[in-house]
Amino acid sequence: MAKIIGMVTTSHVPSIGNALAKGLESSEYWAPFFDGFKPIRQWLAKNPPDLVVVFYNDHGLNFFLDAMPTFSVGAANEYVNEDEGWGIPTLPAFKGNADLSWKLIEGLIYRDFDITTCQKMKVDHAFTLALKLLWPTDTNCPVQTIPICINTVQFPLPSAKRCWSLGHAVGETIRAWDDDLNVLIVGSGGLSHQLDGERAGFINKKFDLAFMESLLSNPEWATQYSNLELVEKVGTQGIELLMWLAARAALPEKVSQVSSTYHVPISNTAGGILLLET
Ligand code: DHB
Ligand code: FE
């Protein structure tokens, strides 16, 4: 049977791409963030996944405002990264597994999720950097991937409750597969940040830490909030924390924490990293 072995959730900012390319991981500015991946890489070396399912939000590379799916799933054997305009190195294409993607899509549609299926899907920094942080020394990501994109760019956004249900359906679907596969769930987004408007630079450490803690003690805690309440608490881009909620929902109820890091700021963002194992 397929087994979900754990979850890594992380914040993303494009400048991580530059920090990696320039070898700045141990610099005073970046070390508190990058050091958070050391225990995760050690854990991955002992628990290598066969497949990574990544919840992330596209920022305009693949989807634009003219056609914006709420939930979309990649169904390709390869996912290409392109220049997003941030001046960061473009990473080599990521391996997919179209057969497993279609199995996941069937399971989700069977469970009443009306998702967009993408046989071509470009992946942006939210997807690429989360994986690069896990396997920084491999030129090509060594593991097959399935991207699941959640719209957090153009309102209306799916609610926290709905993202939880999506993640739960992903978990149920994968655990029902009879393939002998170890699956890692990744969630890329958040934590609190706001890039524009009057509250640009907004960070809410108290809420971020409460949210991170809730994923262990009371994982559905954040589903009590509407998206407007969440934007108030974590900023217009902080709403990307929905990726963490969807990822956590894919895991079984009983999990244990392997490592947790919180550091402010990375660029304009509160940097959180969490590894839970099943
Ligand atoms: C930043 C954060 C993001 O989530 C993003 O997608 C782009 C930039 C930032 O803090 O610079
Ligand atoms: Fe982002």
Side-chain angles (χ1 to χ4, degrees), residues 11-14 57-59 86 124-126 152-153 188-190 193 195 237-238 240 269:
S11 307
H12 61 240
V13 299
N57 59 290
D58 181 78
H59 303 71
W86 295 103
D124 79 355
H125 66 275
T152 55
V153 170
S188 174
H193 62 298
L195 301 179
Q237 281 77 34
E240 291 176 348
T269 296

Side-chain angles (χ1 to χ4, degrees), residues 57-58 150-155 157-158 236 239-240 242-243:
N57 59 290
D58 181 78
I150 300 179
N151 166 36
T152 55
V153 170
Q154 173 160 266
F155 276 76
L157 314 183
T236 39
I239 192 79
E240 291 176 348
L242 293 174
M243 310 306 146

